[in-house]
Amino acid sequence: MGYPRGDRDSPDAIPVSLLCSAVSIGRTSPFYQRLIKKRRALYAAASPTFPGEKYDTQALLIAAPVDGGSPRKLKGDLTRELQAVLDPRS
């Protein structure tokens, strides 16, 4: 899934980069703890700059479902995990 984000000088550049790091880097990240460790995804990551950062770009969330898993369900799981980080009360 891609989310529009401006170029490297955009006011969104740093917050989006921090968000992508928070959800996907390390074994304590929400993506690892709730998607990979619970066997809902084989792989899950977030990239703040796809395909690059020089021009207007996208933040990218990517995941691979487990064998027999549904890409549509995994998309919902990614969205829920992102929302949980953005609004911990939800």
Side-chain angles (χ1 to χ4, degrees), residues 80-90:
R80 276 189 295 284
E81 293 307 324
L82 186 60
Q83 285 295 342
V85 170
L86 293 173
D87 184 10
R89 297 170 290 165
S90 61

Side-chain angles (χ1 to χ4, degrees), residues 44-60:
S47 172
T49 55
F50 181 81
E53 66 179 343
K54 186 174 182 182
Y55 303 106
D56 283 357
T57 186
Q58 295 185 49
L60 179 71

Side-chain angles (χ1 to χ4, degrees), residues 4 10 36 39 61 64 67 70 73 77 83 85-86 89-90:
S10 164
I36 297 169
R39 305 213 186 271
L61 301 180
D67 189 31
S70 159
K73 181 173 179 344
D77 292 341
Q83 285 295 342
V85 170
L86 293 173
R89 297 170 290 165
S90 61

Side-chain angles (χ1 to χ4, degrees), residues 14-88:
I14 292 174
V16 169
S17 183
L18 290 172
L19 177 63
C20 287
S21 295
V23 298
S24 71
I25 292 180
R27 292 180 183 222
T28 58
S29 71
F31 280 8
Y32 183 83
Q33 290 292 317
R34 297 186 200 123
L35 298 176
I36 297 169
K37 202 170 178 182
K38 292 184 178 181
R39 305 213 186 271
R40 291 166 33 201
L42 295 174
Y43 172 82
S47 172
T49 55
F50 181 81
E53 66 179 343
K54 186 174 182 182
Y55 303 106
D56 283 357
T57 186
Q58 295 185 49
L60 179 71
L61 301 180
I62 186 169
V66 293
D67 189 31
S70 159
R72 181 171 287 153
K73 181 173 179 344
L74 188 53
K75 179 182 177 185
D77 292 341
L78 281 172
T79 302
R80 276 189 295 284
E81 293 307 324
L82 186 60
Q83 285 295 342
V85 170
L86 293 173
D87 184 10

